[in-house]
Amino acid sequence: MVRKFLLPVVCLASTTFVNAQKLDFGDIFKDAEKQTQVLIKNTDEARKENDKLVSPRTLENGKLKLVASKDWTSGFFPGVLWYIYEFNKKGQWLADAQRFTALIEKEKTNGTTHDMGFKVYCSFGNGYRLTKDTGYKSVLIQSAQTLATRFSPVVGCIRSWDHHADQWKFPVIIDNMMNLELLFEASKLSGDSSYYKIAVSHANTTMKNHFRADYSCYHVVDYDPETGKVVHKQTHQGFSDESAWARGQAWALYGYTMCYRETGDPAYLAHAEKVAAYILNNPNMPKDLVPYWDFNAPNIPNEPRDASAAAVIASGLYELSQYSKGSAKYYKETADKIINSLTKSYRADKGTYQGFILTQSTGSKPANSEVDVPLNYADYYYLEALLRAKKIKEGKKLF
Ligand code: GLY
């Protein structure tokens, strides 16, 4: 599918965003606590049958699906617990966050995947930020060391996947931008600048090769590991190679905003703003700003939404609002609108969905996997976005 539009300028004067409801953080977090208590109980129960499974990921036919620590989503549930603890500072939540975080530790030496940031930064990273536990610090540094082994100086990137070796030689997916935060943090914690340099190289190479003229991005770019040349640009979870998979665009927005925070390089800020413009001006973005699973999905408006993409976009926009020279207010109000939509229309009723907070996310539509379901990362970025909104409201800096 060819995208027939190119709208590079963010619409600053939209009136859609003026009447954002007031967010009642106390009430929203109280509800999130209650839901998550249900999820903890159900998870503890399910782990009695198989304690190799560590975190709840989603529902399959209404049944709770737990994953092992090696799964890319294993860190989000501990992350949810850390965010609730950050809000309420209650000892029981600290204990639960510590308990589920500990179950991820062995991933620090797992070099078979790029998902180290998702797994370890969302769990141990938040744990270290909130407790300064030196054991957590060591885990973060060791995890970065392991992740760095997947970096190729020839390509200039960290290799994402090892699977489908017959199909790809050195695949790099846009999601990988999210794992760079762990490397930036590990540089600060260890004083070893090599992690920082790897992160910058990865971000620059991705900026060059993953994006189209309209600042939408491909999902997968496959490189020749001998020469560093691009071999293919494709999708894996999107509608087509040339379409804009919603969560991929969200990872890009969040990833380049974070890279600007960590480096101060204005090229990253400019890039994040261009990606934001692509997302927010997209004619297929619904009024409530919760995207369909792909901006070019063929049957819009009869396509599943992806609440996880909305949550990532909201969290990214709150941070972007702290850095933007011209559009700060617009980004903040847009993020408020997304969070209001999610809060009002996408939350599970109390006690339902086994205790997940948000409904209507989409994992991989082409694989018919996790379509219109709760997903742990939707909950994680939703709570993160709420905490960012609260800090901004209190006049605090996010970082
Ligand atoms: N990182 C995998 C996904 O976004 O589905």
Side-chain angles (χ1 to χ4, degrees):
M1 164 161 299
V2 178
R3 291 161 320 288
K4 296 191 184 72
F5 50 90
L6 179 69
L7 295 167
V9 181
V10 169
C11 168
L12 287 168
S14 169
T15 50
T16 322
F17 304 108
V18 173
N19 296 319
Q21 275 172 240
K22 276 204 170 142
L23 294 164
D24 186 333
F25 300 109
D27 275 358
I28 299 170
F29 268 89
K30 211 183 289 159
D31 289 346
E33 272 183 38
K34 283 190 194 137
Q35 264 309 84
T36 307
Q37 269 160 353
V38 173
L39 189 52
I40 293 171
K41 186 170 159 283
N42 289 338
T43 300
D44 283 337
E45 202 54 44
R47 291 195 70 238
K48 285 182 191 156
E49 279 167 37
N50 183 353
D51 69 359
K52 300 269 183 301
L53 303 178
V54 302
S55 285
R57 169 169 166 151
T58 185
L59 300 183
E60 256 175 12
N61 302 319
K63 193 169 176 284
L64 190 59
K65 182 180 173 184
L66 301 190
V67 291
S69 65
K70 69 176 186 200
D71 186 271
W72 81 274
T73 69
S74 66
F76 293 117
F77 182 60
V80 162
L81 303 178
W82 284 117
Y83 283 148
I84 293 178
Y85 168 65
E86 181 171 2
F87 185 86
N88 68 21
K89 288 285 160 20
K90 289 182 190 157
Q92 185 55 48
W93 288 92
L94 171 63
D96 281 326
Q98 289 169 325
R99 184 162 69 89
F100 281 96
T101 293
L103 301 175
I104 314 290
E105 178 164 351
K106 72 173 191 217
E107 292 310 304
K108 67 188 179 187
T109 53
N110 178 3
T112 66
T113 159
H114 74 127
D115 288 317
M116 194 67 98
F118 284 125
K119 291 188 280 189
V120 173
Y121 197 70
C122 300
S123 53
F124 284 88
N126 278 309
Y128 182 68
R129 183 173 61 81
L130 294 168
T131 65
K132 298 296 170 223
D133 181 324
T134 52
Y136 288 0
K137 176 174 163 178
S138 317
V139 171
L140 290 169
I141 295 170
Q142 194 171 356
S143 301
Q145 252 166 30
T146 304
L147 179 58
T149 62
R150 299 184 65 81
F151 178 72
S152 156
V154 176
V155 174
C157 278
I158 295 161
R159 180 183 175 129
S160 293
W161 293 326
D162 294 347
H163 60 77
H164 291 86
D166 52 330
Q167 197 177 330
W168 299 305
K169 291 179 170 175
F170 192 105
V172 177
I173 64 172
I174 190 64
D175 321 30
N176 207 340
M177 287 300 300
M178 301 296 283
N179 293 311
L180 306 184
E181 198 168 7
L182 169 70
L183 297 177
F184 285 122
E185 178 70 9
S187 256
K188 286 181 267 184
L189 295 178
S190 66
D192 181 345
S193 63
S194 64
Y195 306 125
Y196 180 101
K197 286 179 188 150
I198 288 173
V200 166
S201 169
H202 185 100
N204 289 343
T205 308
T206 299
M207 195 154 72
K208 191 164 130 227
N209 295 326
H210 251 85
F211 290 84
R212 308 182 182 105
D214 61 3
Y215 294 93
S216 67
C217 63
Y218 291 92
H219 184 194
V220 188
V221 174
D222 189 31
Y223 292 91
D224 182 336
E226 309 298 325
T227 63
K229 289 214 170 90
V230 172
V231 183
H232 292 299
K233 299 188 180 192
Q234 294 174 306
T235 198
H236 188 58
Q237 283 157 258
F239 167 61
S240 72
D241 288 344
E242 291 300 325
S243 73
W245 173 51
R247 199 162 52 256
Q249 316 312 302
W251 294 143
L253 167 64
Y254 189 117
Y256 281 97
T257 305
M258 176 273 295
C259 284
Y260 176 69
R261 176 216 312 156
E262 295 297 335
T263 63
D265 184 340
Y268 295 148
L269 176 58
H271 196 72
E273 297 209 61
K274 295 272 183 25
V275 174
Y278 175 82
I279 293 172
L280 300 179
N281 291 329
N282 196 296
N284 284 337
M285 176 64 106
K287 271 210 172 64
D288 70 358
L289 299 180
V290 177
Y292 300 99
W293 66 281
D294 191 303
F295 284 104
N296 306 106
N299 299 313
I300 289 173
N302 300 314
E303 293 280 358
R305 302 294 186 97
D306 183 11
S308 77
V312 174
I313 291 167
S315 191
L317 286 176
Y318 279 127
E319 181 168 11
L320 193 56
S321 78
Q322 304 278 285
Y323 311 138
S324 172
K325 299 281 180 294
S327 305
K329 187 165 180 285
Y330 171 70
Y331 295 143
K332 199 267 176 193
E333 288 178 356
T334 305
D336 284 348
K337 175 140 199 265
I338 298 171
I339 290 303
N340 276 322
S341 291
L342 292 174
T343 302
K344 206 168 136 231
S345 309
Y346 291 79
R347 278 189 308 170
D349 287 337
K350 205 177 137 212
T352 65
Y353 288 86
Q354 303 262 9
F356 284 103
I357 299 169
L358 291 183
T359 62
Q360 296 186 56
S361 289
T362 297
S364 179
K365 178 78 167 46
N368 199 22
S369 164
E370 301 177 333
V371 178
D372 193 14
V373 290
L375 286 167
N376 58 13
Y377 42 98
D379 291 357
Y380 175 87
Y381 289 103
Y382 171 64
L383 295 185
E384 181 182 89
L386 284 163
L387 287 170
R388 288 181 175 190
K390 179 173 173 284
K391 274 192 193 153
I392 291 172
K393 191 175 171 194
E394 290 165 352
K396 293 181 185 151
K397 283 197 147 203
L398 295 189
F399 296 95

